[in-house]
Amino acid sequence: MAKKTNKFKGIFNWSFFIVAAVAVVLLNVIFSFVNFRIDATKDKRFSLSNGTVEYLKNEDKLDNRLLLKIYLDGKLPSDLQYFRDDVEDKLKEFKQYAGNKIEYEFIDPTSGTEGEQQELFESLYAKGKGITPMDIIFNKDGQNTQMLVWPGAIIEYKGSTVNVVQFLPGTPPGKPYPLTGMGEIIQNSLNNLEYILMTSIRRSVEEKKPTIAFLQGHGELSYGQTMRARSLIAPYYILKDVKIGDSIAALNDVDGLIIAGPKEKFSGKELYIIDQFVMRGGKLMCFMDALDLPEDSLNQTGISHTTRYSTGLEKILFDYGLKLNENYVIDAMCAPKVVPTAKQALIPWYYHVLAAPSKHPISRNLEPVSLEYVNEIQFVNTDKLALTPILTSSTNSTVTGLAPMVSFALPMNYGQNPKLVPDTELESNKICLAGLSEGYFNSHFRNRIVDEFAKNPIAKYKERSTVEGKVLLVGNSRFIKNGYDSIITPQGTKYRPSQYNELRFNAKFAELGVQIFFGNQEFFQNAVDYMMGENSVLDIRSRQIDIHQIDKAKISESAVFYKWFNTLIPCCIIVLLALIFFYLRRRKYAAAK
């Protein structure tokens, strides 16, 4: 009887083993065809943003097959192989939502004969307009090895090549880069991988781009002064300069209108054309200064008066729920100012506000936005418009009087620990610096023009907006302004922006070692995209990924403890399991006897 029981147990154990082994094999086969992962990080750094998911699911955006040919394959060093695998994982996630609309293939550019390789290299480089190669040096089998890689992709859409993706920066000819020093470069590219892919796909599939016009004719920022800002949005929109003049049809083919820094008065006809542009659903973006400050006089004498601009544009903005006040916001959260004549080279300059972002997608999680000499914006709640602050000052801020006098003596009035308001913790102290108005607007000219004109079909007058509109007002224009050089060529005058990107940092601060980075660039991009209804990359730009620094002091104090802990605990677990199995085995055979 005991023998039959033991025989039955043996058959059961072998059957259980075979079933378990088959189940494990089947599960591995099934999961090899399924791509999924669980993102347990707090900031969801390994998950696609909502904007990306919505874009990939939208059949109107991706109405045809898109193919990415990625030339990063073959015998790669481990760091680049890791990067290549991450690119593939990200594209697999894209395919989960886009399906067969997105296809990709990895190609080894070093395969084939030397002639075929050279022909492919020339095609990929495309005389500097294609993928820029990366020449790297790394150690392999104790010897330095040099390799040329092509860290990019060609995008084909509707059967033709439409775009190029550069995942990693290229290297100048004859200057190979050591792979050991590329860790940070590769990590930054991995962090921005979703953004790189999404912007490239977006540029590739958009056949009809919306038109954005920069208004001219009233002392606005010129083409040269906005070159850097324009370059940020140029891949996605048709940009042009426009003067209204006497043309009632000047804005007919315009989807978005940017008015940056007007200084001269608008005529009644120009205001009417802008108003009707908004009534038709046009997106109006105004970056305006209410006051003129002669900064040259301020720098020479340490004190200067301000004078009011009176353009007339502020009147129609008031009817859209946005009021631009003729004062300055001063904030303890500010940038310094370089004053050569002062005892100290840098003074805290409360007029140079580092604006705090809000929870709105335009400014969420951005670096502080640099707004020097910014005016207060107030909301006028008319017709149930949705009025939203986009940028605000800190809780330790206040406003000056109307048309104030600006003086270098201001910082000395508040001392080392400035308190610009009695209670510096009150949320109500925050002042709106950039505001957004959304909804159905009433025309500024309602009840202001005669019926004969309003009812004339040629005028095409609209008393109320026919579609939901958007109007953005920022109380500052210089935040998108860049320095530039003019170059005289046989073809005419050409412009190029200054070497330093003023939308990211201040050149004078950099020279003095003051590390302050601005979010002006991302803020402008986000503002334009949001106003034009393109939200696919807003979530990616504003994603907050926290890189937690290692506490070196704590490591030094606890290093010995954790070394012993990591050594002894596994050993103790193994010994404990061995004792348990020994006990169970002894008990089993003792019972059998």
Side-chain angles (χ1 to χ4, degrees), residues 291-302:
L291 299 170
D292 176 28
L293 173 67
E295 203 162 8
D296 290 342
S297 299
L298 175 65
N299 292 332
Q300 288 178 3
T301 64

Side-chain angles (χ1 to χ4, degrees), residues 370-587:
S370 169
L371 298 175
E372 190 173 11
Y373 307 114
V374 60
N375 304 118
E376 176 190 20
I377 292 172
Q378 288 183 322
F379 294 127
V380 185
N381 197 1
T382 59
D383 298 321
K384 299 181 180 179
L385 296 171
L387 303 170
T388 311
I390 305 300
L391 292 174
T392 67
S393 62
S394 73
T395 56
N396 189 7
S397 63
T398 186
V399 295
T400 67
L402 299 180
M405 183 172 62
V406 178
S407 171
F408 287 161
L410 178 68
M412 291 183 280
N413 296 336
Y414 291 98
Q416 294 294 325
N417 298 308
K419 292 184 65 175
L420 306 184
V421 287
D423 188 346
T424 59
E425 301 297 328
L426 284 178
E427 288 291 313
S428 58
N429 293 337
K430 291 184 176 181
I431 301 164
C432 181
L433 310 174
L436 176 68
S437 179
E438 299 174 282
Y440 291 87
F441 302 105
N442 287 327
S443 170
H444 170 72
F445 290 89
R446 186 177 64 167
N447 303 325
R448 287 189 172 96
I449 56 176
V450 296
D451 287 345
E452 183 180 354
F453 178 84
K455 294 178 181 179
N456 189 333
I458 299 176
K460 298 180 180 180
Y461 170 69
K462 295 182 183 298
E463 188 177 81
R464 185 172 172 83
S465 56
T466 53
V467 296
E468 190 171 1
K470 300 176 184 178
V471 176
L472 174 70
L473 175 61
V474 181
N476 184 271
S477 66
R478 68 176 70 202
F479 84 101
I480 61 166
K481 182 180 178 182
N482 61 260
Y484 67 96
D485 298 320
S486 56
I487 307 169
I488 306 299
T489 67
Q491 293 76 28
T493 304
K494 292 186 177 181
Y495 303 96
R496 64 182 180 190
S498 57
Q499 179 182 0
Y500 291 97
N501 183 358
E502 293 97 332
L503 305 188
R504 296 304 304 273
F505 58 91
N506 184 291
K508 292 182 180 178
F509 296 168
E511 292 171 1
L512 294 172
V514 179
Q515 297 294 326
I516 300 179
F517 293 96
F518 305 141
N520 297 31
Q521 179 170 297
E522 290 77 11
F523 175 75
F524 178 74
Q525 287 178 286
N526 286 353
V528 173
D529 282 340
Y530 180 86
M531 294 296 290
M532 302 306 295
E534 181 50 71
N535 301 331
S536 60
V537 292
L538 289 182
D539 291 336
I540 310 175
R541 287 199 200 105
S542 59
R543 175 175 288 184
Q544 180 77 25
I545 297 181
D546 298 320
I547 307 298
H548 299 288
Q549 297 290 332
I550 296 175
D551 190 337
K552 295 181 179 179
K554 191 172 183 180
I555 290 176
S556 179
E557 294 173 2
S558 310
V560 175
F561 168 77
Y562 285 110
K563 285 178 182 177
W564 282 106
F565 182 86
N566 290 330
T567 303
L568 294 176
I569 291 299
C571 295
C572 292
I573 292 173
I574 292 172
V575 171
L576 180 62
L577 289 174
L579 291 173
I580 291 172
F581 281 118
F582 176 76
Y583 170 76
L584 293 175
R585 184 180 179 86
R586 184 176 180 181
R587 183 178 177 184

Side-chain angles (χ1 to χ4, degrees), residues 8-176:
F8 175 77
K9 284 184 178 180
I11 294 172
F12 174 79
N13 290 337
W14 277 107
S15 301
F16 178 80
F17 173 76
I18 293 170
V19 170
V22 171
V24 169
V25 172
L26 286 175
L27 286 173
N28 274 279
V29 172
I30 293 170
F31 284 119
S32 67
F33 294 99
V34 179
N35 179 53
F36 79 96
R37 57 186 177 181
I38 299 173
D39 189 352
T41 58
K42 183 179 179 181
D43 48 27
K44 299 299 178 184
R45 69 183 67 186
F46 301 113
S47 301
L48 296 182
S49 66
N50 294 332
T52 298
V53 173
E54 291 175 7
Y55 188 95
L56 295 174
K57 286 182 176 180
N58 192 334
E59 295 184 359
D60 294 332
K61 298 286 187 182
L62 285 170
D63 61 350
N64 212 308
R65 176 174 171 269
L66 182 141
L67 173 64
L68 289 96
K69 293 182 176 179
I70 305 155
Y71 293 89
L72 192 62
D73 208 8
K75 296 180 179 179
L76 300 171
S78 58
D79 289 353
L80 291 178
Q81 183 65 40
Y82 174 76
F83 180 82
R84 177 246 181 246
D85 294 341
D86 265 26
V87 172
E88 185 172 14
D89 287 343
K90 189 66 68 176
L91 288 171
K92 284 180 180 178
E93 288 187 79
F94 277 28
K95 282 183 64 64
Q96 286 182 355
Y97 300 102
N100 294 330
K101 294 293 182 67
I102 290 182
E103 300 291 343
Y104 63 89
E105 61 176 315
F106 284 86
I107 299 171
D108 181 4
T110 61
S111 62
T113 64
E114 289 188 9
E116 291 173 338
Q117 290 181 30
Q118 188 61 34
E119 185 178 350
L120 177 61
F121 292 170
E122 291 177 0
S123 173
L124 294 179
Y125 188 64
K127 297 181 179 179
K129 297 181 180 179
I131 301 173
T132 305
M134 174 184 283
D135 202 1
I136 58 172
I137 292 179
F138 61 98
N139 189 278
K140 183 179 180 182
D141 300 329
Q143 295 181 345
N144 283 336
T145 303
Q146 189 167 336
M147 174 185 284
L148 187 70
V149 295
W150 296 83
I154 302 295
I155 296 182
E156 293 183 358
Y157 188 62
K158 294 185 177 180
S160 60
T161 299
V162 293
N163 204 1
V164 174
V165 188
Q166 186 82 33
F167 294 118
L168 295 170
T171 54
K175 293 184 178 181

Side-chain angles (χ1 to χ4, degrees), residues 189-468:
S189 296
L190 287 175
N191 289 340
N192 293 318
L193 191 55
E194 182 182 347
Y195 179 74
I196 293 170
L197 288 170
M198 274 304 302
T199 52
S200 300
I201 291 172
R202 179 182 161 194
R203 285 199 301 266
S204 303
V205 303
E206 287 185 350
E207 297 179 353
K208 184 180 179 181
K209 297 180 180 180
T211 299
I212 295 178
F214 284 76
L215 189 65
Q216 299 294 323
H218 312 88
E220 292 91 348
L221 297 180
S222 66
Y223 170 80
Q225 293 171 320
T226 56
M227 286 184 69
R228 203 175 290 280
R230 292 177 190 232
S231 68
L232 298 173
I233 59 175
Y236 317 107
Y237 305 98
I238 298 172
L239 304 182
K240 68 177 186 177
D241 291 318
V242 64
K243 288 184 178 181
I244 296 176
D246 292 328
S247 174
I248 198 168
L251 302 180
N252 281 1
D253 61 344
V254 174
D255 302 296
L257 180 64
I258 293 177
I259 306 177
K263 299 175 179 63
E264 301 170 7
K265 195 170 185 64
F266 287 72
S267 69
K269 188 172 184 178
E270 289 173 322
L271 293 176
Y272 173 80
I273 293 170
I274 294 172
D275 175 79
Q276 291 302 293
F277 166 77
V278 175
M279 296 304 109
R280 295 195 306 271
K283 308 304 184 291
L284 180 61
M285 293 161 270
C286 298
F287 312 130
M288 296 176 60
D289 303 292
L291 299 170
D292 176 28
L293 173 67
E295 203 162 8
D296 290 342
S297 299
L298 175 65
N299 292 332
Q300 288 178 3
T301 64
I303 190 169
S304 181
H305 291 275
T306 57
T307 55
R308 295 176 173 87
Y309 290 123
S310 183
T311 64
L313 186 60
E314 60 274 0
K315 295 179 181 178
I316 66 172
L317 291 172
F318 184 91
D319 285 346
Y320 303 154
L322 301 167
K323 180 186 177 186
L324 182 68
N325 286 339
E326 297 172 336
N327 57 9
Y328 281 142
V329 177
I330 58 174
D331 194 341
M333 184 61 67
C334 63
K337 183 174 180 61
V338 180
V339 185
T341 57
K343 292 181 180 180
Q344 55 188 56
L346 294 174
I347 63 171
W349 194 230
Y350 303 142
Y351 291 100
H352 192 161
V353 178
L354 297 179
S358 66
K359 294 182 180 179
H360 193 275
I362 291 179
S363 61
R364 184 177 58 226
N365 293 332
L366 296 185
E367 297 285 349
V369 178
S370 169
L371 298 175
E372 190 173 11
Y373 307 114
V374 60
N375 304 118
E376 176 190 20
I377 292 172
Q378 288 183 322
F379 294 127
V380 185
N381 197 1
T382 59
D383 298 321
K384 299 181 180 179
L385 296 171
L387 303 170
T388 311
I390 305 300
L391 292 174
T392 67
S393 62
S394 73
T395 56
N396 189 7
S397 63
T398 186
V399 295
T400 67
L402 299 180
M405 183 172 62
V406 178
S407 171
F408 287 161
L410 178 68
M412 291 183 280
N413 296 336
Y414 291 98
Q416 294 294 325
N417 298 308
K419 292 184 65 175
L420 306 184
V421 287
D423 188 346
T424 59
E425 301 297 328
L426 284 178
E427 288 291 313
S428 58
N429 293 337
K430 291 184 176 181
I431 301 164
C432 181
L433 310 174
L436 176 68
S437 179
E438 299 174 282
Y440 291 87
F441 302 105
N442 287 327
S443 170
H444 170 72
F445 290 89
R446 186 177 64 167
N447 303 325
R448 287 189 172 96
I449 56 176
V450 296
D451 287 345
E452 183 180 354
F453 178 84
K455 294 178 181 179
N456 189 333
I458 299 176
K460 298 180 180 180
Y461 170 69
K462 295 182 183 298
E463 188 177 81
R464 185 172 172 83
S465 56
T466 53
V467 296
E468 190 171 1

